[in-house]
Amino acid sequence: MIKWAGWLITLFGTAHTLGALTVMKAAGHAGTWFSGGLWRDDLAAMSPANSAFWLSAASFGVPLVLVGLTVLWLERRGITPPLFLAWVLGIWTLLIAAVLLFTPWPILLVATVLLLAGIRRGEPAPPRGATGPDQGLRGISRPDAA
């Protein structure tokens, strides 16, 4: 489940970024971007070049690719991703759904559910009777334990 979530997140971020650059023709503004044309641009007015930049290169697509690849990297090493990652992704996805209903946010929702389920399955159960902050640290002795 974690692997599928990682691939979905990576695919979503890649498709968003590449789709914006090609299908939405944002790459056509690259000359303006790299010539300093946005340095004095008014963010509130959002020129076409600025809008294209925020839709593609500065969008959430690249960070989503990094999150997805990190999830895959952790999974390959047998490390369960942290639960907060799934919760933040889920909350953010629901925010997207509330603001822009007709976008592909359900893909991220599926990835979130898979990630949550995989993390829940991947969490090691604490040993019987274990309590306190060191529960689940089997075989590791604390320096202050006598």
Side-chain angles (χ1 to χ4, degrees), residues 58-81:
S59 75
F60 61 86
V62 174
L64 272 179
V65 170
L66 292 173
V67 168
L69 291 176
T70 300
V71 167
L72 290 170
W73 184 87
L74 290 168
E75 193 274 334
R76 269 187 240 115
R77 283 155 181 77
I79 303 168
T80 303

Side-chain angles (χ1 to χ4, degrees), residues 22-40:
T22 58
V23 176
M24 302 301 291
K25 299 182 177 30
H29 297 278
T32 303
W33 301 345
F34 294 108
S35 68
L38 300 182
W39 292 357
R40 289 182 180 73

Side-chain angles (χ1 to χ4, degrees), residues 4 8 24 27 44 55 60-62 91 102 110 119 121 131 135 143:
W4 277 99
L8 281 173
M24 302 301 291
L55 176 66
F60 61 86
V62 174
I91 291 167
F102 300 111
V110 168
I119 289 169
R121 281 186 173 180
T131 58
Q135 71 180 10

